[in-house]
Amino acid sequence: MTPRLTSPTIGRDAELAALREALAATAAGAGRCLVLNGPAGIGKSRLLAEARAEAGRLGMAVAAGRATELDRVAPLATLLTALRGSTPPVVDGAGMAALGAAGSQVTNRFWLVEQLGELIEEYVRLRPLLIVLDDAHAADELTAVALQILVPRLQSCAVTWLLAQRPGPAKAPMHEVTARLVEEGAVQLTLPPLDPEAIAEVCTHVLGSPPAPRLRALAARSDGNPFLLEQLLTMLNDHGWLQTAGGTVTSVAEDGLPAGFLSAVEYQLRHLSESAHRLLEAASVFGRPCTVHEAARLLGRSAVAVVPAVEEAVAAHVLVDDGTALAFRHDLIRDAVYGNLSGAVRQTLHQEAAVLLEAEGRPGAEAVLHRIRGARPDDPRTLEALSRAVDEVAPIAPSTAADLMLQLLDLLPADSASRPHAIAETVRLLAVSGRLGEAQGLGEQALRGRVDPAYEATMCVGLCDALKHAGQDATVIEYTARVLARPGIPEPVRAQLLAIQSHAMLVVGDSAGAERSALAAAADGEPSALVYAESARSAAAHARGDVAGAIAIASEAVEVADQDGGDARHRHPRLWLGRALVAADRFSEAEAVYELGEREARELGTAWSQPLWHFYQAELRLAAGRLDDAEAEALAGERVAQQLTALALLPSLLGLLADVAVHKDELGRARDLLRRAVRLGDTGNGTTTEDLAWPQAQLLAAQGDGAAAFETLAAVYGAVGERPLLLTLTPWAAPAMVRIALDAGARTEAGAVAATVRSLAASATAVPSLQGAAAHAEGLLRADTDALRAAVEAYRDSPRRLARAAALEDLALAEAAAGARPRGVALMEEALELYASCGAVRDAARTQRALRGMGVRRKRWQQTAKAQTGWDSLTGAELRVVRLVAEGLTNRATAERLFLSPHTVDTHLRRAFAKLGVSTRVELARQAITHDDANDRVKA
């Protein structure tokens, strides 16, 4: 009697149904993601095999891969292996060349993932795809990043992601990613142990007859694990310990039958020859499928000499030969063989494996793992190999590189001359990969020791740069001040520290300190520090109201970056130039600057800048009164910031979204957004006072709590003369602040705001919005109708439609109050049209109420309320995206056609899908055809 493989359907009906449902949906065009959880041997791999077979029956392509422990040091290996193995391959030779180009830049790992997403999206235009990753818990860092980004991005495409993983620490990279995917809608399937009835059914299936009570009791030793159960039955059968009688199968094994799995495997393998045992030991050391040649070399024999041992192990169902490599039939067998190796044998085999892999030109990171496991602390070859491996993986897998550096530190003697530099590099890599707690801990430990000032400063640059992007500005100021106080710091490093410090000071509101640090940094002349410092100077000038100065300084920084190239370009001074141009009402120039800058960021691969591009473009669109577009950019920025764990800008992005929500009369959503923003601020994520105080005050005013709105803006009122940043970013905030202060009985504060905006307007006569804001504020402060008329006229030359509408509204009320009702009605209707065209629902409703108060009744006002669903609900930007996607363009192709980022396109598409009630591109294309046909019939 020879046991058959366990049927994957036994005890797994619910999981199989979920898999088949997902695959059927993907075959029809809908994306799905399933996460399959369970310990080793519980049946995950067999369910994956069933899913692959079902996908084949549905005509789907299948890209299947399996992670190994060595993949952790091979960036993107797990996912790329799968995508190259489909028929036809998702990533062919040309695709690999494109990925190689995308990954050639030092900071380009996120662009590499985007390029990979483009290849998958293009592939599934022609056929649905199942991507299977077994043992996903062992996947490398970049594969984890790719899944975090691509699974949600491709949810409208015909892709099913099926990820199988073992339980592990919740904070492990892949477990964090899969937990986030489940939160976002992925289906989680957790395989429980087989119940007693299922165990009996498996026994019946394998043995051909039901088990007798004695065998059922023995089978229970498997703890409901199908693989262990099969191994147990196989062992009983191989030793003749099974007997059939009376239509049932029982065990005649001795009571001393080994219960532990290691013992059971050893029992099963003991009949193999000595050479087969040695082959298995060698194969177990590799930690991945290995070739016959590799196993033979590790044993010091020829490939021909080990062929009999290979055939023996394959015939015994211990190894599987797929034609190119040998793999253990199950990881549990490999783990058992490896676990039975003595320490000395294991160390020797790893040392020999490292030599073998280096000689064959395998990736350095793989060889170095063997060197670590077989290393002596004073082995210089191991230290050298570790350093090479770090250089190899750091550009696109900094967390993996940090882990390698931590292992190198464990091997370095305490008095090693290279130890300080190694610590500095480890701190930098930990910080860059978002492991700030570990970076700070190691940095503090190093700072307490005797560290050379140059190394200390270099370490501080890497740490503070990452802390800055994470929003920890107060900590940045503390660290830089401590290190800068020490003598002996090289001038270029000092300049970099000062430049980082200046940007941190800007966020905490110390504009004067920021300028001092920036000037000191710029004095060194090192291009990268100079450009970053000049960007801070531009922002400081902007904060104190010198818009022309901000533009001039930022323009010089751009010129230096363009001329010098190198690291200076990575500082992206166009971010600050664009913001200053917006303050000057030069919206078209700002848009062109942002477009050029974002394209440059894509070429350079500076992922850290992505949330900033989205935030500043959202600011521009909000200033122009394009509320839906502003919201889309801010949502894209929020998503990218979350993916990059770049939390510095999240509070500001949430504040901007709350600002939009107030205008759209979504006050509940605005409250939720601001609560999130405040919580982030409470955990140390820095943001400027204005970025949160202004939307909070607008929300409170909208809720009718003017006193609380005034209190919320207390710090802004108190510093308005020295720091009129809000008034330059949002000029119409000046009259709004005057109104809030007057309502609160604070005429002094109202007067200070009016005086400040008047001064700003006098120094920027070419900025219509400031001229209009100054006249508007004066008109409210003095109840001066002539000033309000001047404000409206000034705003007619301004691109800020919401500001113009607010001035029209106030002038209309003043004219009506003065008895000029017809003029007031005309002005109010003009304001209403502007608000409606911007999508400012709350403001439009307020003007409608005012018109009713003037005695006007017109049904056409109802048309200002935009539809919430269907094609009429789509914004212009959404409609443009939908049209191109319905034609079959990918996100990237659509982005290039519309001069948008792929993230913004993705945001528009998500919103359009929700409004149209579709979930796939296939459904979208069908709806587009139906909609166009209906329109054609109407026109006919």
Side-chain angles (χ1 to χ4, degrees):
M1 182 184 348
T2 302
R4 301 189 298 274
L5 289 179
T6 303
S7 169
T9 61
I10 296 176
R12 303 298 185 219
D13 293 344
E15 291 81 6
L16 275 170
L19 290 175
R20 288 168 178 155
E21 180 183 352
L23 292 170
T26 296
R32 291 290 187 270
C33 178
L34 299 97
V35 178
L36 195 57
N37 289 312
I42 202 67
K44 301 186 300 296
S45 296
R46 287 177 175 169
L47 279 171
L48 299 187
E50 182 65 22
R52 292 197 297 270
E54 178 70 12
R57 287 191 288 270
L58 293 171
M60 298 173 64
V62 177
R66 180 183 173 201
T68 70
E69 58 179 322
L70 293 181
D71 286 344
R72 290 191 173 123
V73 292
L76 211 56
T78 303
L79 186 55
L80 269 182
T81 299
L83 297 177
R84 295 181 69 184
S86 61
T87 304
V90 179
V91 180
D92 56 14
M96 286 300 295
L99 291 175
S104 62
Q105 297 294 336
V106 171
T107 54
N108 217 1
R109 64 183 183 143
F110 290 97
W111 307 137
L112 179 62
V113 170
E114 285 200 359
Q115 184 67 40
L116 185 59
E118 177 75 5
L119 292 174
I120 297 172
E121 190 178 344
E122 187 69 34
Y123 185 91
V124 298
R125 289 176 58 199
L126 302 177
R127 64 190 66 78
L129 173 67
L130 168 64
I131 300 176
V132 178
L133 296 184
D134 199 358
D135 289 338
H137 56 274
D140 62 277
E141 172 191 350
L142 193 50
T143 290
V145 170
L147 292 174
Q148 179 181 327
I149 293 172
L150 296 181
V151 171
R153 173 187 153 180
L154 298 174
Q155 66 182 2
S156 65
C157 299
V159 185
T160 286
W161 303 82
L162 183 50
L163 316 174
Q165 63 181 13
R166 297 182 194 174
K171 292 188 176 181
M174 269 305 301
H175 286 101
E176 284 188 339
V177 168
T178 51
R180 191 173 298 119
L181 293 176
V182 169
E183 287 178 4
E184 295 177 354
V187 175
Q188 182 168 244
L189 303 174
T190 299
L191 298 185
L194 298 178
D195 60 32
E197 292 308 312
I199 292 175
E201 190 178 347
V202 170
C203 292
T204 302
H205 173 83
V206 171
L207 304 175
S209 299
R214 178 177 171 81
L215 181 56
R216 286 181 69 130
L218 196 58
R221 291 192 184 186
S222 68
D223 294 326
N225 185 300
F227 180 77
L228 297 185
L229 175 58
E230 181 190 327
Q231 292 300 113
L232 177 63
L233 296 175
T234 299
M235 182 176 64
L236 291 170
N237 180 74
D238 287 347
H239 289 82
W241 290 341
L242 295 177
Q243 187 177 84
T244 302
T248 62
V249 183
T250 190
S251 168
V252 294
E254 302 173 0
D255 291 339
L257 182 70
F261 181 64
L262 287 179
S263 301
V265 169
E266 190 65 29
Y267 223 100
Q268 179 188 351
L269 301 183
R270 69 178 182 171
H271 67 284
L272 295 178
S273 66
E274 181 69 17
S275 59
H277 270 286
R278 299 291 81 81
L279 171 70
L280 295 178
E281 290 171 351
S284 75
V285 166
F286 282 101
R288 58 162 172 79
C290 65
T291 64
V292 174
H293 172 76
E294 287 174 329
R297 285 281 304 276
L298 192 56
L299 294 170
R301 304 177 66 187
S302 71
V304 173
V306 300
V307 167
V310 170
E311 293 174 341
E312 184 181 359
V314 170
H317 302 292
V318 177
L319 293 182
V320 176
D321 183 358
D322 68 359
T324 60
L326 300 172
F328 283 91
R329 189 164 62 84
H330 201 285
D331 278 347
L332 284 172
I333 299 177
R334 183 261 173 188
D335 293 345
V337 173
Y338 185 77
N340 278 338
L341 290 173
S342 70
V345 171
R346 187 182 302 175
Q347 186 179 41
T348 299
L349 287 174
H350 278 300
Q351 289 172 347
E352 293 301 316
V355 174
L356 165 65
L357 294 171
E358 288 167 352
E360 293 191 347
R362 298 280 297 186
E366 180 181 350
V368 82
L369 283 184
H370 290 289
R371 286 208 170 274
I372 292 169
R373 290 168 184 174
R376 297 182 300 274
D378 58 348
D379 183 1
R381 293 177 303 173
T382 298
L383 300 179
E384 182 182 350
L386 263 171
S387 297
R388 287 198 307 269
V390 169
D391 292 341
E392 185 179 301
V393 305
I396 53 177
S399 186
T400 301
D403 288 334
L404 292 173
M405 284 300 298
L406 288 169
Q407 291 174 309
L408 186 147
L409 288 175
D410 287 341
L411 296 174
L412 273 176
D415 58 353
S416 170
S418 60
R419 190 172 181 83
H421 176 75
I423 291 175
E425 178 64 4
T426 306
V427 168
R428 184 188 73 81
L429 288 168
L430 286 169
V432 167
S433 56
R435 297 160 64 178
L436 296 177
E438 293 175 76
Q440 285 180 263
L442 181 60
E444 288 287 353
Q445 179 184 345
L447 293 176
R448 285 194 295 269
R450 295 181 179 179
V451 182
D452 179 85
Y455 282 125
E456 180 184 27
T458 301
M459 178 173 60
C460 193
V461 167
L463 178 58
C464 289
D465 216 0
L467 287 168
K468 178 73 192 71
H469 295 316
Q472 304 296 312
D473 297 282
T475 305
V476 169
I477 294 169
E478 176 192 342
Y479 278 19
T480 52
R482 180 170 33 168
V483 175
L484 286 167
R486 296 191 61 179
I489 300 175
E491 286 306 312
V493 180
R494 177 180 293 277
Q496 291 179 56
L497 285 171
L498 285 164
I500 296 169
Q501 183 185 70
S502 65
H503 279 271
M505 287 177 165
L506 281 172
V507 175
V508 301
D510 185 3
S511 297
E515 286 203 80
R516 286 193 301 272
S517 295
L519 284 168
D524 176 79
E526 195 277 322
S528 176
L530 172 63
V531 168
Y532 201 36
E534 291 294 87
S535 298
R537 283 188 61 218
S538 173
H542 190 174
R544 68 169 184 270
D546 182 7
V547 175
I551 292 172
I553 296 169
S555 297
E556 292 173 7
V558 168
E559 186 175 349
V560 171
D562 288 347
Q563 289 178 351
D564 182 79
D567 289 342
R569 292 180 69 207
H570 289 73
R571 291 301 185 179
H572 295 305
R574 283 184 173 84
L575 284 163
W576 288 273
L577 174 59
R579 203 180 201 198
L581 289 168
V582 171
D585 280 356
R586 293 158 64 176
F587 285 13
S588 296
E589 291 176 68
E591 194 146 15
V593 164
Y594 286 146
E595 183 184 322
L596 177 60
E598 190 171 13
R599 187 163 63 244
E600 181 182 60
R602 185 172 299 280
E603 293 169 359
L604 296 174
T606 43
W608 67 266
S609 69
Q610 275 302 292
L612 283 166
W613 295 114
H614 286 297
F615 175 67
Y616 286 162
Q617 291 185 85
E619 270 192 341
L620 168 58
R621 284 153 177 71
L622 176 57
R626 295 161 56 186
L627 296 181
D628 288 320
D629 292 347
E631 186 176 32
E633 285 290 348
L635 286 170
E638 180 195 5
R639 190 167 193 86
V640 173
Q642 295 278 13
Q643 290 171 346
L644 299 177
T645 61
L647 305 181
L649 208 59
L650 267 180
S652 300
L653 284 161
L654 294 171
L656 191 148
L657 284 167
D659 193 343
V660 172
V662 170
H663 282 295
K664 296 174 79 170
D665 205 25
E666 299 169 352
L667 302 189
R669 179 164 178 260
R671 280 192 294 274
D672 291 341
L673 288 164
L674 288 169
R675 284 193 196 102
R676 287 178 57 200
V678 170
R679 279 199 301 269
L680 282 167
D682 290 343
T683 58
N685 291 286
T687 187
T688 61
T689 302
E690 296 83 354
D691 282 349
L692 288 187
W694 174 238
Q696 284 177 315
Q698 287 197 92
L699 173 61
L700 290 165
Q703 295 174 151
D705 195 346
F710 177 74
E711 288 299 321
T712 298
L713 289 168
V716 181
Y717 281 113
V720 72
E722 297 177 358
R723 183 183 166 87
L725 176 61
L726 178 59
L727 308 189
T728 58
L729 285 173
T730 312
W732 81 277
M737 288 179 66
V738 167
R739 187 195 318 279
I740 290 171
L742 290 176
D743 289 346
R747 192 167 186 84
T748 300
E749 285 80 357
V753 171
T756 299
V757 73
R758 189 164 56 244
S759 174
L760 292 173
S763 63
T765 56
V767 182
S769 294
L770 283 175
Q771 307 305 311
H776 194 175
E778 190 71 20
L780 293 176
L781 181 68
R782 310 293 178 195
D784 185 340
T785 304
D786 288 338
L788 292 175
R789 291 194 191 100
V792 169
E793 290 309 309
Y795 276 133
R796 293 198 185 282
D797 293 325
S798 162
R800 301 175 189 264
R801 293 184 294 161
L802 287 172
R804 189 192 322 157
L808 284 163
E809 184 181 355
D810 284 329
L811 177 58
L813 292 172
E815 294 282 15
R821 178 183 169 279
R823 202 157 49 235
V825 168
L827 291 165
M828 192 65 77
E829 287 185 332
E830 185 181 354
L832 173 59
E833 289 177 5
L834 276 173
Y835 283 138
S837 68
C838 294
V841 175
R842 186 180 69 85
D843 304 289
R846 187 179 59 247
T847 56
Q848 287 181 354
R849 290 193 298 271
L851 282 165
R852 291 191 187 97
M854 295 177 186
V856 179
R857 299 287 187 273
R858 291 183 186 172
K859 289 183 179 179
R860 69 183 181 87
W861 296 341
Q862 296 172 0
Q863 297 172 1
T864 62
K866 190 176 180 65
Q868 298 301 304
T869 60
W871 285 85
D872 291 340
S873 70
L874 299 181
T875 67
E878 289 166 357
L879 190 57
R880 288 190 290 274
V881 167
V882 162
R883 288 293 182 198
L884 292 176
V885 170
E887 290 175 14
L889 271 67
T890 63
N891 279 16
R892 181 177 294 278
T894 301
E896 291 173 353
R897 184 82 64 88
L898 298 177
F899 302 103
L900 298 171
S901 83
H903 303 291
T904 306
V905 167
D906 184 55
T907 301
H908 283 311
L909 202 55
R910 288 169 184 268
R911 290 157 62 86
F913 274 21
K915 291 178 180 180
L916 297 175
V918 300
S919 59
T920 73
R921 293 168 186 247
V922 174
E923 292 175 293
L924 179 67
R926 288 174 184 156
Q927 273 212 22
I929 293 170
T930 302
H931 176 71
D932 290 346
D933 288 346
N935 281 345
D936 290 343
R937 286 194 297 273
V938 170
K939 291 176 183 177

